[in-house]
Amino acid sequence: MQEQDYTEVMGMLNQYANQFNTMVHDILRKRRTSDDVSGAFDPQKLFSLLNENVEVDSAQLMQHHMAFMQQQTTLWQNASKAMLGEKVEPVIHEDAGDKRFTHSDWQDNPVFSYLKQAYLINAQMMQGMIESMRFKDPKAAEQVRFYTRQYINSVSPTNYLLSNPEVCEELLKSKGQSLVQGIKNFLEDLEHSPLEAFKITQTQRDAFKVGENLAVTPGKVVFQNELIQLIHYTPTTPKQYARPVLFVPPFINKYYILDLNERKSMVKGLLDQGFNVFMISWVNPDASLAEHDFVSYMFNGPIAALDVVEQITGQDKINMTGFCVGGTLLAMTAAYLRAKGDERIGSLTLLTTLLDFTDQGEIGNYLSDDSLPIMEQHADIKGIYDGRILGLSFSLLRENNLFWSYFINNYLKGKDPAPFDILHWNSDATNITAACFKQYVRNTYWKNKLKVPGGMRIDGVDIDLRKLDMPVYFLSTMADHIVLWQGAYRGTQIPTGDVRFILAGSGHLAGVINPPDKGKYPHWRNDALPETAAQWFEQAEQVEGSWWPDWYKWMTDQDATQIKSVTPGEHKTYPALEAAPGSYVLKTL
């Protein structure tokens, strides 16, 4: 490195260091002077309770300890031989799917090879310690395993400046500029993060814009209230199926995951098949809406939209589709309406949706007797639960792929993340009102009341999901880390109407957004609905390509009547208020 280059780099590092110190001091000052309650979980407290909740299998623990000592001894011997140029076999290998150690130096360079193997041996030892523990509380066991995994992955040598060969290579190649840019990237993310969480950039900030290259399917906003705008999409066929389709997307995210672009749009796919499509677009709430709870979301969301769709189309049967949390809300809505004798919902489609929260997946690890009150207090203080905290929580369910890989790329290597529409949507955070957050989490994840007949009561009406006597289509995805497909399958045992369950390949988003022209992932079918998910899968047939055609056929099999296409904004009572995608979806955090 030339002296001029060195001076320039050091000057910029000094500038960013001062800026970093100023920002950290400002954050700490705000935390000291605010009423904010940060931190939803205290792992230290969990581990302090282990003495009361765990018994140790001493024999198994000793076996793990002896194996650890033997591996360490062999590693030291091999390291000495490798330093002298002798070829040696690794003591331990990373898992086949572990993409952190792909650089050749992790195998060929004695120093980096030693760092990798030492890390893997220590990680194996810690996991062995947990395996030797017998927990009285299964939930505590899951939490200990989860946070142990988080710790192990956080201390990987790949996550540090001088112990990652890719980072060192980039540092030398760029003459230190990668480190300068990495610090700059970190400061920008720190500036855009709330006090309670760190928001890491996963895609280029300026690569996508809603209404320009995302959510571009033409349509009109035909109704709005405090919580929703209702979009009616412009038909692409002269005739449409009489029964309209009304989407209830999750209120913890923006709706446009269902309308990413012309190629990936579920909305466009339905329009081209001749369906009349409506979409709820949820508001991104602030503290002024704090008192709107989960029940208020039901009345102001799917029920309000259902009333409007019925009047615009003149149809008394409507196909309603809910995604994730939107599906849970929709199921509760349908049970409420059925209990009141309202039969306008002709069918339900529930995409990656839990009705029975027995199998919560790793999301349940964030909730405990200590953490839930803190989260609720945080929501009460701010009037909302910050969507950026939720985003970080979901990313840490797949920490190596959705957090540490970006930490390395953005900050250690000083690179900008690649443009990716799904990750742009994933980063476009949405708040939840305080009352809705508390009511939803308490009644579903915490107490699992929704599956219990009469477990929830709304305006004197018992919510009983057994009243779902309309046809119900469940779609789950094989690799979903947010809604485990086995947990979603439990929901198929509750409704009394005809139920169809389809399992798609891939994960929570890509498995759902799988257009037929690409057919990237297969799906599994089984018309029988045995008691368990394992029994269902054992007898299921794998079908190549997208699950969308199966869904289209399922809806048209119920009613294939066609009418002249309905143009949005022409109804006297519900004229166009503005063009899609509307204004609610444009508010960002």
Side-chain angles (χ1 to χ4, degrees):
M1 184 183 296
Q2 299 294 324
E3 183 176 348
Q4 182 179 355
D5 296 331
Y6 176 81
T7 303
E8 181 181 348
V9 169
M10 292 306 296
M12 295 181 73
L13 285 175
N14 184 60
Q15 174 187 338
Y16 287 130
N18 291 332
Q19 185 180 350
F20 175 77
N21 286 333
T22 301
M23 291 181 71
V24 170
H25 283 302
D26 186 51
I27 289 171
L28 293 175
R29 178 185 58 78
K30 287 179 180 177
R31 284 183 172 170
R32 285 194 300 267
T33 57
S34 72
D35 293 325
D36 175 54
V37 179
S38 59
F41 183 80
D42 184 359
Q44 191 172 14
K45 184 174 180 62
L46 176 64
F47 281 96
S48 72
L49 296 175
L50 288 181
N51 290 333
E52 303 172 11
N53 291 286
V54 69
E55 295 177 356
V56 178
D57 184 333
S58 301
Q60 187 177 3
L61 181 63
M62 183 59 69
Q63 287 178 350
H64 286 300
H65 182 69
M66 294 301 295
F68 169 74
M69 295 297 292
Q70 184 177 1
Q71 286 179 313
Q72 285 283 22
T73 301
T74 306
L75 179 60
W76 271 108
Q77 293 171 346
N78 285 359
S80 300
K81 294 176 182 179
M83 289 296 184
L84 296 174
E86 187 175 337
K87 186 174 179 61
V88 292
E89 288 297 316
V91 178
I92 189 172
H93 293 275
E94 66 272 24
D95 293 338
D98 193 339
K99 299 178 181 178
R100 293 175 295 176
F101 302 102
T102 56
H103 194 281
S104 60
D105 277 357
W106 289 116
Q107 285 73 43
D108 301 338
N109 184 294
V111 174
F112 289 117
S113 177
Y114 173 81
L115 288 173
K116 180 190 79 171
Q117 293 181 73
Y119 163 73
L120 293 174
I121 290 171
N122 279 277
Q124 190 178 74
M125 182 269 294
M126 288 195 70
Q127 291 165 339
M129 288 175 58
I130 301 302
E131 289 172 9
S132 68
M133 297 177 181
R134 303 292 177 263
F135 293 86
K136 297 176 183 177
D137 180 3
K139 185 175 179 65
E142 287 299 316
Q143 288 180 317
V144 169
R145 293 189 188 101
F146 177 73
Y147 284 100
T148 299
R149 191 191 81 205
Q150 295 293 331
Y151 172 75
I152 288 172
N153 286 328
S154 72
V155 297
S156 169
T158 54
N159 300 338
Y160 296 89
L161 185 66
L162 299 180
S163 57
N164 185 329
E166 288 185 60
V167 174
C168 294
E169 194 175 83
E170 190 66 37
L171 188 63
L172 292 172
K173 186 171 68 174
S174 68
K175 299 180 180 180
Q177 289 295 328
S178 61
L179 180 58
V180 172
Q181 184 61 43
I183 294 175
K184 181 181 178 183
N185 291 345
F186 177 81
L187 291 173
E188 288 179 357
D189 282 351
L190 187 62
E191 187 175 1
H192 288 89
S193 297
L195 292 176
E196 308 82 12
F198 184 71
K199 182 180 179 182
I200 193 166
T201 299
Q202 296 176 321
T203 186
Q204 284 184 11
R205 286 197 179 98
D206 57 354
F208 300 98
K209 190 169 183 179
V210 176
E212 293 186 6
N213 54 2
L214 294 172
V216 295
T217 301
K220 302 292 183 182
V221 174
V222 293
F223 170 79
Q224 72 179 41
N225 58 30
E226 281 190 305
L227 293 184
I228 71 164
Q229 288 188 320
L230 181 65
I231 300 171
H232 184 193
Y233 288 98
T234 303
T236 60
T237 57
K239 286 189 174 182
Q240 293 177 315
Y241 291 108
R243 280 195 187 183
V245 177
L246 170 57
F247 276 104
V248 183
F251 51 78
I252 63 173
N253 301 111
K254 302 289 182 68
Y255 81 84
Y256 63 85
I257 187 61
L258 299 166
D259 185 31
L260 278 173
N261 56 46
E262 188 171 354
R263 187 173 61 85
K264 297 179 183 177
S265 174
M266 185 176 280
V267 171
K268 180 70 162 53
L270 284 165
L271 291 170
D272 290 346
Q273 290 294 317
F275 290 94
N276 188 7
V277 185
F278 293 80
M279 176 74 69
I280 287 175
S281 173
W282 297 101
V283 73
N284 199 344
D286 55 28
S288 68
L289 300 173
E291 299 304 316
H292 284 280
D293 60 13
F294 193 55
V295 173
S296 178
Y297 269 67
M298 180 186 82
F299 283 116
N300 289 283
I303 291 181
L306 181 65
D307 292 341
V308 175
V309 172
E310 179 192 19
Q311 293 179 59
I312 289 177
T313 64
Q315 299 299 316
D316 59 0
K317 293 290 184 182
I318 294 166
N319 296 320
M320 296 192 71
T321 298
F323 189 1
C324 191
V325 180
T328 306
L329 177 65
L330 176 56
M332 184 179 81
T333 303
Y336 171 81
L337 292 176
R338 277 300 200 260
K340 292 174 68 68
D342 188 328
E343 298 189 355
R344 288 177 295 170
I345 297 180
S347 75
L348 284 180
T349 297
L350 303 177
L351 309 175
T352 63
T353 294
L354 286 177
L355 302 184
D356 180 341
F357 285 74
T358 301
D359 296 330
Q360 302 175 0
E362 291 189 331
I363 291 178
N365 291 319
Y366 293 122
L367 302 177
S368 70
D369 290 324
D370 297 312
S371 66
L372 185 54
I374 292 175
M375 296 164 76
E376 291 175 331
Q377 187 179 355
H378 161 81
D380 281 334
I381 289 170
K382 291 188 172 286
I384 50 93
Y385 196 79
D386 197 308
R388 292 167 293 184
I389 301 175
L390 284 176
L392 176 62
S393 301
F394 286 132
S395 291
L396 289 177
L397 298 179
R398 289 291 181 269
E399 64 277 6
N400 285 333
N401 291 334
L402 295 178
F403 184 84
W404 290 113
S405 63
Y406 293 100
F407 180 92
I408 295 165
N409 182 77
N410 299 3
Y411 309 146
L412 301 187
K413 296 169 71 175
K415 302 286 189 180
D416 291 327
F420 189 15
D421 48 12
I422 289 181
L423 285 179
H424 177 92
W425 169 86
N426 189 57
S427 300
D428 194 358
T430 306
N431 294 329
I432 310 176
T433 64
C436 181
F437 173 80
K438 293 190 298 180
Q439 191 178 45
Y440 171 68
V441 174
R442 280 280 176 185
N443 285 300
T444 56
Y445 282 97
W446 192 244
K447 295 183 177 179
N448 201 6
K449 282 187 174 183
L450 194 57
K451 75 162 187 174
V452 180
M456 291 184 67
R457 190 172 176 82
I458 301 171
D459 288 350
V461 176
D462 286 337
I463 301 302
D464 184 353
L465 297 184
R466 295 175 303 180
K467 293 188 181 295
L468 302 180
D469 58 356
M470 70 288 287
V472 185
Y473 189 105
F474 285 85
L475 184 282
S476 293
T477 57
M478 176 76 78
D480 195 333
H481 64 290
I482 296 173
V483 177
L484 300 183
W485 80 265
Q486 296 89 340
Y489 182 83
R490 285 177 176 269
T492 65
Q493 307 299 300
I494 302 176
T496 53
D498 292 333
V499 173
R500 182 166 181 76
F501 182 85
I502 297 294
L503 180 64
S506 194
H508 190 71
L509 301 177
V512 175
I513 311 303
N514 186 28
D517 61 334
K518 297 297 177 182
K520 187 175 182 181
Y521 306 109
H523 61 281
W524 287 261
R525 301 174 184 170
N526 180 1
D527 292 336
L529 289 172
E531 185 176 351
T532 69
Q535 292 170 330
W536 182 92
F537 188 71
E538 185 179 345
Q539 302 164 5
E541 170 197 10
Q542 180 175 335
V543 181
E544 295 304 316
S546 171
W547 62 274
W548 290 13
D550 182 85
W551 182 44
Y552 299 154
K553 183 177 184 302
W554 178 81
M555 283 194 289
T556 55
D557 280 349
Q558 296 168 45
D559 187 349
T561 305
Q562 290 193 323
I563 60 173
K564 182 182 177 182
S565 293
V566 181
T567 303
E570 292 190 348
H571 194 277
K572 292 182 180 179
T573 309
Y574 299 103
L577 303 179
E578 58 180 310
S583 53
Y584 280 15
V585 74
L586 299 180
K587 181 180 177 181
T588 59
L589 301 182

